[in-house]
Amino acid sequence: MPLVAPSLLSANFANLLPDIREMEEAGASVLHFDVMDGHFVPNLTVGIPVLRSVRKVTKLELDVHLMISNPDHMAEAFAEAGADWVTVHYESSVHLNRLLTMLRERKVKPGVALNPHTPVSVLEESLFLCHHVLIMSVNPGFGGQKFISTSFEKVRKLMDLIRSRGLEVRIEIDGGIGPANTAEAVESGVDVIVAGSAIFDASSPREAFRLMQRSADETRAAKVRASAPSAQARSVRT
Ligand code: DX5
Ligand code: ZN
């Protein structure tokens, strides 16, 4: 089933623990952790010491999104600090397949993120190493930006590529997603929905998470039903 991954970028950096607990209680299984270096993207966030601290206080899977130059040099340190998923950008990785292989060997779920201007075709020779591919639906660097409307079309292209290779790679989307476009995301083929401001800026982050997760689950269930009409018809007859 699809997952909603709350992004800690919009949580309270002065005291992350209550926000993490609230997402645990709401039913999240993955937390998105954005790392920015002020070089690859025009903003700075947190790094390894904060990841280590978060790792100590939660069992939720930590999906570390590295918006940094030179992930070839840094990704391993994030794996050691407790990341469960590590997502590197295609645009800043030099030896991408070596990097993904290293992460796999470290039992981390490796993924590649694509900026809005990067076509999915660049992944043709790397997809087989990916646990997930992250489609950036805003230009990375900030929370609360407007969703880029062509992103779902890109998700469909990625799904075609994954299917044509007979692979099982999850599709993640990041930026400008909230309750209003969660269903469309899942409809287009998204498995993992990152949401920062839509959850943590809501009056009840718990309810915002649940609303999005319910919308994602219902859309996926309807999709499954629609793709097996004959099985459904048979079950109705009996
Ligand atoms: C932006 C980050 C996102 C960010 C999304 O560059 O990668 O993970 O938290 O924020 P929203 O959901 O507010 O667009
Ligand atoms: Zn992110």
Side-chain angles (χ1 to χ4, degrees):
M1 284 309 241
L3 296 174
V4 174
S7 171
L8 292 179
L9 183 63
S10 291
N12 179 7
F13 275 133
N15 189 6
L16 286 172
L17 194 55
D19 288 340
I20 293 171
R21 290 285 176 264
E22 185 167 356
M23 290 303 106
E24 288 171 343
E25 286 159 23
S29 52
V30 179
L31 289 176
H32 188 80
F33 187 98
D34 287 302
V35 179
M36 304 185 189
D37 67 352
H39 186 263
F40 179 67
V41 288
N43 199 2
L44 279 164
T45 55
V46 290
I48 288 166
V50 178
L51 179 61
R52 271 203 204 103
S53 299
V54 170
R55 176 71 294 160
K56 283 184 196 148
V57 299
T58 186
K59 292 195 162 50
L60 296 186
E61 289 196 53
L62 298 174
D63 165 26
V64 176
H65 177 192
L66 295 180
M67 286 163 277
I68 61 174
S69 299
N70 226 334
D72 300 62
H73 286 193
M74 292 301 297
E76 194 164 12
F78 283 93
E80 272 168 19
D84 299 287
W85 305 24
V86 171
T87 310
V88 297
H89 268 262
Y90 168 81
E91 300 83 5
S92 60
S93 305
V94 179
H95 299 289
L96 182 61
N97 287 12
R98 178 190 285 159
L99 189 47
L100 297 171
T101 303
M102 179 279 292
L103 290 168
R104 273 189 179 269
E105 285 170 0
R106 292 199 153 267
K107 309 286 180 238
V108 166
K109 296 171 178 168
V112 181
L114 300 180
N115 277 339
H117 69 273
T118 307
V120 299
S121 57
V122 299
L123 291 178
E124 280 180 14
E125 308 306 328
S126 304
L127 209 50
F128 71 102
L129 291 168
C130 295
H131 165 266
H132 60 281
V133 172
L134 186 159
I135 299 290
M136 282 307 309
S137 42
V138 296
N139 284 293
F142 303 93
Q145 299 184 82
K146 191 174 174 301
F147 177 77
I148 296 172
S149 62
T150 49
S151 307
F152 292 142
E153 187 50 41
K154 196 164 167 185
V155 167
R156 284 190 202 94
K157 283 185 189 160
L158 175 59
M159 194 143 88
D160 288 346
L161 182 61
I162 293 169
R163 283 191 176 150
S164 74
R165 300 289 166 110
L167 295 168
E168 269 197 41
V169 179
R170 286 143 207 83
I171 302 178
E172 183 171 17
I173 198 155
D174 186 5
I177 306 282
N181 55 3
T182 295
E184 201 180 345
V186 174
E187 188 57 47
S188 68
V190 170
D191 305 291
V192 184
I193 298 154
V194 176
S197 54
I199 291 179
F200 290 108
D201 291 355
S203 54
S204 168
R206 181 190 321 255
E207 281 314 308
F209 170 86
R210 287 187 178 148
L211 182 64
M212 289 183 67
Q213 187 63 62
R214 201 176 314 126
S215 166
D217 290 344
E218 286 173 4
T219 308
R220 177 63 61 87
K223 232 181 137 180
V224 169
R225 281 197 301 275
S227 67
S230 51
Q232 200 191 7
R234 276 199 301 280
S235 74
V236 167
R237 273 199 301 275
T238 52

mmCIF file with all atom_site columns, all heavy atoms in Angstrom, residues 7 32 34 65 67 134 136 174 194, ligand 2:
data_model
loop_
_atom_site.group_PDB
_atom_site.id
_atom_site.type_symbol
_atom_site.label_atom_id
_atom_site.label_alt_id
_atom_site.label_comp_id
_atom_site.label_asym_id
_atom_site.label_entity_id
_atom_site.label_seq_id
_atom_site.pdbx_PDB_ins_code
_atom_site.Cartn_x
_atom_site.Cartn_y
_atom_site.Cartn_z
_atom_site.occupancy
_atom_site.B_iso_or_equiv
_atom_site.pdbx_formal_charge
_atom_site.auth_seq_id
_atom_site.auth_comp_id
_atom_site.auth_asym_id
_atom_site.auth_atom_id
_atom_site.pdbx_PDB_model_num
ATOM   1  N  N   . SER A 1 7   ? 7.729  14.863 6.239  1.00 0.00 ? 7   SER A N   1
ATOM   2  C  CA  . SER A 1 7   ? 9.061  15.442 6.115  1.00 0.00 ? 7   SER A CA  1
ATOM   3  C  C   . SER A 1 7   ? 9.368  16.318 7.324  1.00 0.00 ? 7   SER A C   1
ATOM   4  O  O   . SER A 1 7   ? 8.688  17.322 7.572  1.00 0.00 ? 7   SER A O   1
ATOM   5  C  CB  . SER A 1 7   ? 9.143  16.279 4.838  1.00 0.00 ? 7   SER A CB  1
ATOM   6  O  OG  . SER A 1 7   ? 10.362 16.999 4.854  1.00 0.00 ? 7   SER A OG  1
ATOM   7  N  N   . HIS A 1 32  ? 10.712 11.292 6.510  1.00 0.00 ? 32  HIS A N   1
ATOM   8  C  CA  . HIS A 1 32  ? 11.603 11.849 5.490  1.00 0.00 ? 32  HIS A CA  1
ATOM   9  C  C   . HIS A 1 32  ? 12.513 12.876 6.161  1.00 0.00 ? 32  HIS A C   1
ATOM   10 O  O   . HIS A 1 32  ? 12.045 13.763 6.882  1.00 0.00 ? 32  HIS A O   1
ATOM   11 C  CB  . HIS A 1 32  ? 10.731 12.483 4.408  1.00 0.00 ? 32  HIS A CB  1
ATOM   12 C  CG  . HIS A 1 32  ? 11.464 12.932 3.197  1.00 0.00 ? 32  HIS A CG  1
ATOM   13 N  ND1 . HIS A 1 32  ? 11.849 12.073 2.185  1.00 0.00 ? 32  HIS A ND1 1
ATOM   14 C  CD2 . HIS A 1 32  ? 11.863 14.169 2.802  1.00 0.00 ? 32  HIS A CD2 1
ATOM   15 C  CE1 . HIS A 1 32  ? 12.446 12.757 1.239  1.00 0.00 ? 32  HIS A CE1 1
ATOM   16 N  NE2 . HIS A 1 32  ? 12.480 14.031 1.582  1.00 0.00 ? 32  HIS A NE2 1
ATOM   17 N  N   . ASP A 1 34  ? 15.451 15.615 5.394  1.00 0.00 ? 34  ASP A N   1
ATOM   18 C  CA  . ASP A 1 34  ? 16.077 16.380 4.317  1.00 0.00 ? 34  ASP A CA  1
ATOM   19 C  C   . ASP A 1 34  ? 17.426 16.958 4.740  1.00 0.00 ? 34  ASP A C   1
ATOM   20 O  O   . ASP A 1 34  ? 17.494 17.713 5.705  1.00 0.00 ? 34  ASP A O   1
ATOM   21 C  CB  . ASP A 1 34  ? 15.163 17.544 3.903  1.00 0.00 ? 34  ASP A CB  1
ATOM   22 C  CG  . ASP A 1 34  ? 13.949 17.068 3.132  1.00 0.00 ? 34  ASP A CG  1
ATOM   23 O  OD1 . ASP A 1 34  ? 14.140 16.426 2.086  1.00 0.00 ? 34  ASP A OD1 1
ATOM   24 O  OD2 . ASP A 1 34  ? 12.821 17.339 3.573  1.00 0.00 ? 34  ASP A OD2 1
ATOM   25 N  N   . HIS A 1 65  ? 17.146 12.140 2.484  1.00 0.00 ? 65  HIS A N   1
ATOM   26 C  CA  . HIS A 1 65  ? 17.200 12.744 1.149  1.00 0.00 ? 65  HIS A CA  1
ATOM   27 C  C   . HIS A 1 65  ? 18.394 13.688 1.108  1.00 0.00 ? 65  HIS A C   1
ATOM   28 O  O   . HIS A 1 65  ? 18.359 14.759 1.721  1.00 0.00 ? 65  HIS A O   1
ATOM   29 C  CB  . HIS A 1 65  ? 15.865 13.477 0.914  1.00 0.00 ? 65  HIS A CB  1
ATOM   30 C  CG  . HIS A 1 65  ? 15.776 14.199 -0.382 1.00 0.00 ? 65  HIS A CG  1
ATOM   31 N  ND1 . HIS A 1 65  ? 14.770 15.100 -0.658 1.00 0.00 ? 65  HIS A ND1 1
ATOM   32 C  CD2 . HIS A 1 65  ? 16.557 14.162 -1.504 1.00 0.00 ? 65  HIS A CD2 1
ATOM   33 C  CE1 . HIS A 1 65  ? 14.933 15.582 -1.877 1.00 0.00 ? 65  HIS A CE1 1
ATOM   34 N  NE2 . HIS A 1 65  ? 16.016 15.040 -2.409 1.00 0.00 ? 65  HIS A NE2 1
ATOM   35 N  N   . MET A 1 67  ? 20.366 16.307 -0.403 1.00 0.00 ? 67  MET A N   1
ATOM   36 C  CA  . MET A 1 67  ? 20.446 17.389 -1.395 1.00 0.00 ? 67  MET A CA  1
ATOM   37 C  C   . MET A 1 67  ? 21.800 18.059 -1.200 1.00 0.00 ? 67  MET A C   1
ATOM   38 O  O   . MET A 1 67  ? 21.905 19.191 -0.707 1.00 0.00 ? 67  MET A O   1
ATOM   39 C  CB  . MET A 1 67  ? 19.273 18.371 -1.182 1.00 0.00 ? 67  MET A CB  1
ATOM   40 C  CG  . MET A 1 67  ? 17.953 17.788 -1.652 1.00 0.00 ? 67  MET A CG  1
ATOM   41 S  SD  . MET A 1 67  ? 16.534 18.677 -0.988 1.00 0.00 ? 67  MET A SD  1
ATOM   42 C  CE  . MET A 1 67  ? 16.404 17.899 0.610  1.00 0.00 ? 67  MET A CE  1
ATOM   43 N  N   . LEU A 1 134 ? 12.986 9.007  -6.555 1.00 0.00 ? 134 LEU A N   1
ATOM   44 C  CA  . LEU A 1 134 ? 12.253 10.164 -6.022 1.00 0.00 ? 134 LEU A CA  1
ATOM   45 C  C   . LEU A 1 134 ? 12.112 11.224 -7.127 1.00 0.00 ? 134 LEU A C   1
ATOM   46 O  O   . LEU A 1 134 ? 13.113 11.723 -7.652 1.00 0.00 ? 134 LEU A O   1
ATOM   47 C  CB  . LEU A 1 134 ? 12.998 10.734 -4.807 1.00 0.00 ? 134 LEU A CB  1
ATOM   48 C  CG  . LEU A 1 134 ? 12.315 11.855 -4.016 1.00 0.00 ? 134 LEU A CG  1
ATOM   49 C  CD1 . LEU A 1 134 ? 12.916 11.928 -2.614 1.00 0.00 ? 134 LEU A CD1 1
ATOM   50 C  CD2 . LEU A 1 134 ? 12.451 13.191 -4.675 1.00 0.00 ? 134 LEU A CD2 1
ATOM   51 N  N   . MET A 1 136 ? 11.295 14.845 -7.885 1.00 0.00 ? 136 MET A N   1
ATOM   52 C  CA  . MET A 1 136 ? 11.124 16.147 -7.233 1.00 0.00 ? 136 MET A CA  1
ATOM   53 C  C   . MET A 1 136 ? 10.014 16.902 -7.964 1.00 0.00 ? 136 MET A C   1
ATOM   54 O  O   . MET A 1 136 ? 10.126 17.174 -9.163 1.00 0.00 ? 136 MET A O   1
ATOM   55 C  CB  . MET A 1 136 ? 12.416 16.976 -7.309 1.00 0.00 ? 136 MET A CB  1
ATOM   56 C  CG  . MET A 1 136 ? 13.502 16.608 -6.323 1.00 0.00 ? 136 MET A CG  1
ATOM   57 S  SD  . MET A 1 136 ? 13.070 16.549 -4.568 1.00 0.00 ? 136 MET A SD  1
ATOM   58 C  CE  . MET A 1 136 ? 12.276 18.129 -4.258 1.00 0.00 ? 136 MET A CE  1
ATOM   59 N  N   . ASP A 1 174 ? 8.066  14.267 -4.047 1.00 0.00 ? 174 ASP A N   1
ATOM   60 C  CA  . ASP A 1 174 ? 8.481  15.162 -2.967 1.00 0.00 ? 174 ASP A CA  1
ATOM   61 C  C   . ASP A 1 174 ? 8.316  16.618 -3.396 1.00 0.00 ? 174 ASP A C   1
ATOM   62 O  O   . ASP A 1 174 ? 8.988  17.081 -4.320 1.00 0.00 ? 174 ASP A O   1
ATOM   63 C  CB  . ASP A 1 174 ? 9.952  14.861 -2.635 1.00 0.00 ? 174 ASP A CB  1
ATOM   64 C  CG  . ASP A 1 174 ? 10.469 15.621 -1.431 1.00 0.00 ? 174 ASP A CG  1
ATOM   65 O  OD1 . ASP A 1 174 ? 9.678  16.319 -0.774 1.00 0.00 ? 174 ASP A OD1 1
ATOM   66 O  OD2 . ASP A 1 174 ? 11.675 15.503 -1.146 1.00 0.00 ? 174 ASP A OD2 1
ATOM   67 N  N   . VAL A 1 194 ? 5.850  12.208 0.021  1.00 0.00 ? 194 VAL A N   1
ATOM   68 C  CA  . VAL A 1 194 ? 6.494  13.030 1.045  1.00 0.00 ? 194 VAL A CA  1
ATOM   69 C  C   . VAL A 1 194 ? 5.639  14.278 1.258  1.00 0.00 ? 194 VAL A C   1
ATOM   70 O  O   . VAL A 1 194 ? 5.181  14.894 0.293  1.00 0.00 ? 194 VAL A O   1
ATOM   71 C  CB  . VAL A 1 194 ? 7.915  13.440 0.605  1.00 0.00 ? 194 VAL A CB  1
ATOM   72 C  CG1 . VAL A 1 194 ? 8.552  14.383 1.620  1.00 0.00 ? 194 VAL A CG1 1
ATOM   73 C  CG2 . VAL A 1 194 ? 8.788  12.198 0.392  1.00 0.00 ? 194 VAL A CG2 1
HETATM 74 ZN ZN  . ZN  B 2 .   ? 12.956 15.824 0.502  1.00 0.00 ? 2   ZN  B ZN  1
#
